[in-house]
Amino acid sequence: MRIWQSGISYVCLGLLIAGAGCAPRAGERPLPALVAEPAADSTLVGCDRADETIVLSSSAHRDPSCTYARGIEIPASDVVLDCRGARIEDATGAASRGILVAAPISTALANVTVRNCVVAGFLNNVRVAREGFKTLAEGAEYENAFADVVVENSHLYASRGSGIFVDGYVTGVTLRDLDIAFSGSKYLLVWRM
């Protein structure tokens, strides 16, 4: 059985993938290229921390040879998370967020970038949240607003809910060059009151 005009068979394709290391899940594609290099002040989050939930208050990058089993939280401004192609996956099927960019409603958040990540299996693979947004007073919804939050060049697979969930009254979010597939919810969800 041929899958391309070039004559590569499923068997040959399987051998090619097996020879390369680990096979991607059905429908997944490897990142075609990485965007940018880690900043000079970026800290490596090594494989020794693959089973921890990481809270970032400064820029960090991941070891691409690792699969990280816990999520990442970014509660601070001026942070770049560069996964460098590393996978973040909830194999337990119990975790709620793979990457969480969040701050309380009383705190502005700006200049946060998430890039080059492969995230799979969480309820929301990426969530941008204003904690307590449902309690905002009318007319004060955009005080302490978010600005310049970028999620780019990432693949988000097999979420149990949304590939990306953006809370109500979140502003300034740019989504660029994303591959979202096999999500439990079919659409990008944006909460509206």
Side-chain angles (χ1 to χ4, degrees), residues 112-157:
V112 175
T113 301
V114 174
R115 65 181 176 221
N116 302 320
C117 299
V118 178
V119 187
F122 294 86
L123 178 62
N124 301 132
N125 283 336
V126 175
R127 184 163 186 172
V128 183
R130 287 188 71 195
E131 298 165 356
F133 76 93
K134 292 180 183 179
T135 65
L136 286 165
E138 186 174 341
E141 297 93 350
Y142 297 101
E143 292 177 7
N144 303 310
F146 284 16
D148 196 26
V149 175
V150 177
V151 181
E152 66 180 349
N153 197 50
S154 295
H155 292 182
L156 312 172
Y157 295 112

Side-chain angles (χ1 to χ4, degrees), residues 45-153:
V45 178
C47 297
D48 59 322
R49 298 186 67 193
D51 289 325
E52 296 177 31
T53 299
I54 307 296
V55 178
L56 297 179
S57 57
S58 61
S59 295
H61 57 283
R62 295 277 170 130
D63 182 334
S65 68
C66 303
T67 296
Y68 295 85
R70 305 279 182 187
I72 301 167
E73 298 177 7
I74 304 172
S77 294
D78 303 315
V79 173
V80 175
L81 166 63
D82 189 340
C83 293
R84 309 301 301 150
R87 186 178 189 88
I88 303 164
E89 182 173 13
D90 175 28
T92 67
S96 60
R97 298 166 302 234
I99 299 172
L100 173 64
V101 178
I105 57 173
S106 59
T107 304
L109 194 69
N111 305 317
V112 175
T113 301
V114 174
R115 65 181 176 221
N116 302 320
C117 299
V118 178
V119 187
F122 294 86
L123 178 62
N124 301 132
N125 283 336
V126 175
R127 184 163 186 172
V128 183
R130 287 188 71 195
E131 298 165 356
F133 76 93
K134 292 180 183 179
T135 65
L136 286 165
E138 186 174 341
E141 297 93 350
Y142 297 101
E143 292 177 7
N144 303 310
F146 284 16
D148 196 26
V149 175
V150 177
V151 181
E152 66 180 349
N153 197 50

